[in-house]
Amino acid sequence: MKAVAVTPGTPNSVHLKDIPMPSLDKYPNGKGVLVKVLKVGVDATDKEINDALYGNSPPGDDHLVLGHESFGIVEEVGPNVTKVKKGDYVTATVRRPGGSIYDQIGTYDMTSEETYYERGINLLHGYMTEYFVDEEDYIVKIPPGLKHLHVLMEPMSCAAKAVQQAFEVQRRMKVWRPKVAWVMGAGQIGLLSTLTLKLRGLQVYTIARSPAPSLKAEITEGMEATYISTKERSLEDLVAETGKPDIIVEATGSSVIAFESMKYLGLNGVLVLTSITGSDTKHELPTDKINIEWVLGNKLLLGSVNANSEHFEAGIKDLALGDVMFPNVIQKILTNPVDGLDNYQELIRLLVEEKSALKVYMNVADE
Ligand code: BGC
Ligand code: ZN
């Protein structure tokens, strides 16, 4: 069967590859699930992998099958599978456990080992192929009423985890009543973080470069958040209006903005970093000023990566509620479809060149 792969270490190596059809025999415990792939999304991580800045092939292979944002339908299940059945819509988590205690209790997104295993990213093949198998623990059921949001489940899981982690660590405050949230970046993670923060009752300001009107602004406002263009308004000016934010979620993909954001966080606040930055950017900052403000303000810096199946489930609930509260808004993120695995060049072209794209994805097959 066909798969879209790269050769890690070689820039722009994306190619079509013939790989064997997977089988449930891989799981002698009877817990395998065979999934027919319907759609696969791509994001900045895939771009970095194709640029040879990030990602590794599985040991013994010179290629890595791409794709970590999956949407498919269950084709066949092993005899001991109880969570899903043939015909269910599903996605799959990305990370697989290593050996640490966190891996062993299902929180493989928090592994304490340097080596991490991620399907389509690091040391494990991904989902950009016709079928995949996995163990039922890593398969997440998607309600049929959400199938129009297909490849957003994985990015939503990362946004849901980032915000959930922030609330979790802020229990240090005994009472934490955050009012104002800033989201840096209005790409998919920025917009999905906006949604989950809105659903927690915060006043959300989603901050990006480009001036409105734009699709980003329309989606932000559609979720009853406020869109701010830094070309039109300075962040100092925004602080003067709303005060410093209680939480900032950084999702621009830029480490410069991640560190610049430290200047704006409010007292007792939390800054959550989510950008994956594979390059080697350097940047100068007023470190004394930031440092003293952070010390005197008891501020917290939190990195968040990946998501386990609990975050997928939480994210799916947020998408379901968001889709009811803001009808026809979230699906606008799904901007650029490409038809068929053969069209992988067009998929990568859109990912690299189409600046207005919020989500590029491939329609792999019909049901
Ligand atoms: C993926 C995550 C992954 C991260 C780092 C992101 O694009 O969505 O699942 O953990 O990249 O590899
Ligand atoms: Zn991703």
Side-chain angles (χ1 to χ4, degrees), residues 43 45 54 68 94-95 116 118 121 154 158 276 305-306:
D43 70 2
T45 299
Y54 191 61
H68 63 276
V94 176
R95 236 179 230 193
Y116 57 92
E118 291 182 345
I121 300 176
E154 196 278 338
C158 294
I276 305 292
V305 70
N306 200 257

Side-chain angles (χ1 to χ4, degrees), residues 48-59:
E48 295 214 332
I49 294 171
N50 189 45
D51 287 343
L53 293 170
Y54 191 61
N56 291 291
S57 346

Side-chain angles (χ1 to χ4, degrees), residues 244 262-265 267 288-299:
K244 288 188 167 183
M262 295 183 80
K263 295 198 251 176
Y264 303 103
L265 186 68
L267 299 177
D288 272 347
K289 185 159 184 297
I290 292 173
N291 181 68
I292 193 167
E293 282 177 8
W294 275 62
V295 170
L296 297 182
N298 292 295
K299 303 180 191 186

Side-chain angles (χ1 to χ4, degrees), residues 303-322:
S304 179
V305 70
N306 200 257
N308 63 49
S309 51
E310 277 179 29
H311 308 119
F312 273 75
E313 280 156 14
I316 286 172
K317 285 186 183 150
D318 280 358
L319 285 175
L321 184 56

Side-chain angles (χ1 to χ4, degrees), residues 190-203:
L191 292 169
L192 296 171
S193 299
T194 299
L195 172 66
T196 180
L197 289 161
K198 267 311 285 186
L199 295 178
R200 287 176 185 257
L202 278 90
Q203 225 179 304

Side-chain angles (χ1 to χ4, degrees), residues 24-55:
L24 291 184
D25 297 345
K26 191 170 171 201
Y27 298 97
N29 63 3
K31 293 181 87 189
V33 178
L34 176 69
V35 178
K36 177 181 177 190
V37 179
L38 300 177
K39 296 172 195 293
V40 179
V42 285
D43 70 2
T45 299
D46 299 286
K47 186 178 169 305
E48 295 214 332
I49 294 171
N50 189 45
D51 287 343
L53 293 170
Y54 191 61

Side-chain angles (χ1 to χ4, degrees), residues 215-248:
L215 183 61
K216 292 175 178 183
E218 184 187 323
I219 296 171
T220 303
E221 305 281 340
M223 297 189 293
E224 295 172 13
T226 305
Y227 182 83
I228 304 286
S229 157
T230 51
K231 288 229 170 89
E232 293 178 337
R233 205 167 171 195
S234 75
L235 296 180
E236 285 70 21
D237 189 50
L238 184 61
V239 166
E241 183 194 313
T242 68
K244 288 188 167 183
D246 303 297
I247 174 168
I248 301 178

